[in-house]
Amino acid sequence: MTGTTDTAVPTAGVQSLQLTPEAKNLAQNITPWDVEGAVVDGKAQPIDYNMLIEKFGTRKIDAAILERFEKVTGHKPHMLLRRGVFFSHRDLAGILDRHEQGKPFYLYTGRGPSRDHMHIGHMLPFTFCKWLQDVFDVPLVIQLTDDEKFLFKPKLTLDEVYANSAKAVHELAAMGFRPEKTFIFSNMDYMGGAFYRNILSISRSITFNQAKATFGFDNSSAIGRIHFPSIQAAPAFCSSFPEIFGTRKDIPCLIPCAIDQDPYFRLTRDVAQPLKHKKPSLIHSQFLPALQGTTSKMSSSIDSTAVFMNDTPAQIKNKINKYAFSGGQTSLEEHRQFGGNPDVDVAYQYLTYFLDDDEEVAQLAEGYRKGEISTGEMKARCIKVLQEFIGEIQERAKSVSNQLLADLQNPSFPRKFASLDKK
């Protein structure tokens, strides 16, 4: 459905050829493990994020909260906020209140290391977290859920997921995270102590019926899977990290994550106050589309859907040219006459995630709609931006030392923040 020249695939053909006769009408399915847009009359649909806000009971990030963010922090909102990539939240206003009052909070996000390198979609919460950390000057904890991947990916071994965690730390270090502000931990390494005590308290507070209703578990689900939500919930309680927060239980966190992770933290918020902890706040992102189109997210499991952080410039170019779905017309002549649709054009969509220049992004969309910018030109700009983004991190990765990796994963590394002295 893609092309390497200015001849593009019409938008009407988005993924429809991949559907079986039995799949003519399917509801949208968004879980922590599956992300699929709806199917209507045999045609795959883009993911409906407004429907997710309504279904999950979250709040839309609107102009008012962006204005307040800028007023409270003194910083123009990050491009991922400005463009609605982070589009939904739970109690973001409460975090802004705390910052305004000089009260402490921390950031928490994570990564499930299902393979040896992350793809560019995985980088979004980390890019955003690095910016938030710099703006707010707060601690960040990053959970590597190697245990989850072992439980939910039957083909992976314990050794493989553990090795993938180590490689994830290396890529995160190359993004500029520093041990003075950041603690990165593998669940397989950090399990025990205060962290495990919180896991036990959480697991006793969530019933099997609640877990079934939230995650769809059934009688054939492995007990490790059923228990795992309590493990992902625990870092949302500050007492899981006594080396940073001591014995305090009154410091909330802000969790930037993709919207499919919200079910974990709905349960966490339900049990937080009974366990005498603060409810976590969340800010949810949309999914980076797969190369094949906006009806599904980029996946580590399928190489042809993703651009990986270890891809070479030539591989990036080939993937975008060969696989990136186009919103253009069937020929360059028709494209010049009728224009294209940037809303479904994958190359343009990637630019909205990785190109910081608002004016250029707007000009690219307008030029594409008018037919003044061709599919080939849009892909060429996307290729250059992604090559630069990935290339810079690959270059920094060469200078990451073993000592830096050890410090980032050392729970006792000195991490001092003035705001932690306030209640």
Side-chain angles (χ1 to χ4, degrees):
M1 293 197 156
T2 55
T4 57
T5 67
D6 286 341
T7 300
V9 177
T11 59
V14 181
Q15 294 193 338
S16 59
L17 296 179
Q18 300 177 12
L19 300 172
T20 64
E22 296 80 16
K24 292 300 182 183
N25 289 283
L26 296 172
Q28 178 169 275
N29 180 38
I30 308 297
T31 74
W33 310 288
D34 295 295
V35 174
E36 298 167 342
V39 177
V40 178
D41 295 331
K43 181 179 177 182
Q45 304 296 307
I47 293 165
D48 187 336
Y49 291 102
N50 288 327
M51 182 184 294
L52 290 177
I53 288 176
E54 182 177 349
K55 178 181 178 182
F56 289 171
T58 65
R59 299 189 65 177
K60 185 178 179 65
I61 294 178
D62 56 18
I65 200 163
L66 290 179
E67 183 179 344
R68 175 137 195 268
F69 187 101
E70 185 166 358
K71 179 181 178 181
V72 168
T73 65
H75 291 264
K76 180 181 178 181
H78 191 276
M79 68 174 178
L80 296 177
L81 275 174
R82 299 194 307 268
R83 295 175 188 163
V85 174
F86 280 88
F87 70 102
S88 163
H89 74 98
R90 293 186 186 275
D91 201 22
L92 178 57
I95 292 294
L96 294 177
D97 289 343
R98 291 187 71 89
H99 181 68
E100 199 168 34
Q101 297 160 7
K103 294 181 178 180
F105 69 94
Y106 66 104
L107 299 169
Y108 160 37
T109 195
R111 159 85 179 111
S114 58
R115 64 179 292 162
D116 54 353
H117 290 279
M118 291 187 276
H119 61 57
I120 57 174
H122 294 137
M123 306 306 284
L124 297 177
F126 297 117
T127 300
F128 188 53
C129 272
K130 182 66 175 67
W131 181 82
L132 288 174
Q133 188 182 53
D134 292 341
V135 166
F136 289 115
D137 189 25
V138 293
L140 164 66
V141 296
I142 300 176
Q143 181 185 46
L144 301 176
T145 57
D146 34 22
D147 50 351
E148 178 206 21
K149 291 307 174 187
F150 175 73
L151 291 168
F152 286 87
K153 298 280 187 180
K155 293 183 179 180
L156 291 176
T157 68
L158 281 171
D159 288 342
E160 286 171 336
V161 295
Y162 189 68
N164 291 344
S165 278
K167 291 177 181 178
V169 178
H170 196 276
E171 287 181 331
L172 291 170
M175 294 186 70
F177 290 111
R178 304 300 302 171
E180 294 82 4
K181 292 186 178 183
T182 308
F183 174 46
I184 306 174
F185 63 98
S186 152
N187 281 345
M188 289 169 62
D189 280 339
Y190 193 58
M191 192 67 66
F195 180 51
Y196 188 57
R197 287 196 293 273
N198 277 337
I199 290 170
L200 289 175
S201 296
I202 295 165
S203 65
R204 195 170 72 173
S205 302
I206 299 172
T207 68
F208 181 45
N209 282 339
Q210 287 175 301
K212 283 198 299 183
T214 303
F215 298 104
F217 297 136
D218 57 33
N219 292 339
S220 66
S221 299
I223 58 174
R225 296 185 180 191
I226 298 165
H227 178 255
F228 178 76
S230 60
I231 300 174
Q232 184 154 321
F237 293 171
C238 64
S239 63
S240 294
F241 308 102
E243 299 88 355
I244 303 174
F245 304 110
T247 59
R248 292 181 66 169
K249 293 186 174 183
D250 63 338
I251 302 174
C253 67
L254 173 63
I255 307 173
C257 62
I259 187 68
D260 62 333
Q261 298 299 300
D262 184 75
Y264 284 115
F265 302 113
R266 291 204 303 274
L267 285 181
T268 309
R269 286 170 60 85
D270 287 344
V271 304
Q273 289 182 327
L275 294 175
K276 303 186 186 314
H277 280 83
K278 294 286 189 181
K279 289 184 178 183
S281 298
L282 289 96
I283 183 166
H284 307 108
S285 74
Q286 298 181 2
F287 307 108
L288 187 73
L291 284 162
Q292 286 73 18
T294 57
T295 61
S296 63
K297 72 171 183 176
M298 189 172 284
S299 171
S300 292
S301 304
I302 309 172
D303 282 1
S304 62
T305 73
V307 177
F308 291 94
M309 294 305 297
N310 64 325
D311 282 347
T312 66
Q315 287 173 318
I316 295 167
K317 180 178 181 179
N318 180 64
K319 285 182 176 182
I320 296 299
N321 279 332
K322 185 175 182 179
Y323 297 117
F325 181 81
S326 167
Q329 302 297 330
T330 55
S331 68
L332 180 58
E333 180 179 7
E334 288 184 357
H335 185 81
R336 296 297 190 202
Q337 182 178 0
F338 300 112
N341 181 1
D343 296 334
V344 299
D345 187 272
V346 166
Y348 173 77
Q349 290 301 311
Y350 288 178
L351 288 168
T352 68
Y353 286 78
F354 293 98
L355 180 58
D356 197 15
D357 188 329
D358 290 339
E359 184 177 354
E360 183 180 355
V361 168
Q363 289 174 348
L364 286 168
E366 182 180 8
Y368 200 63
R369 287 190 177 97
K370 292 180 177 179
E372 297 169 354
I373 294 175
S374 69
T375 292
E377 290 166 334
M378 188 71 79
K379 287 188 174 185
R381 185 68 181 112
C382 176
I383 289 165
K384 185 173 188 298
V385 168
L386 293 184
Q387 286 174 336
E388 290 175 352
F389 174 79
I390 294 171
E392 288 173 5
I393 293 176
Q394 288 176 345
E395 190 61 32
R396 290 199 297 267
K398 296 176 183 177
S399 60
V400 170
S401 67
N402 289 334
Q403 186 61 56
L404 174 58
L405 297 175
D407 290 344
L408 283 166
Q409 298 173 88
N410 180 359
S412 299
F413 189 91
R415 297 177 175 94
K416 302 296 183 182
F417 293 84
S419 65
L420 295 182
D421 296 330
K422 296 186 178 182
K423 296 295 183 181

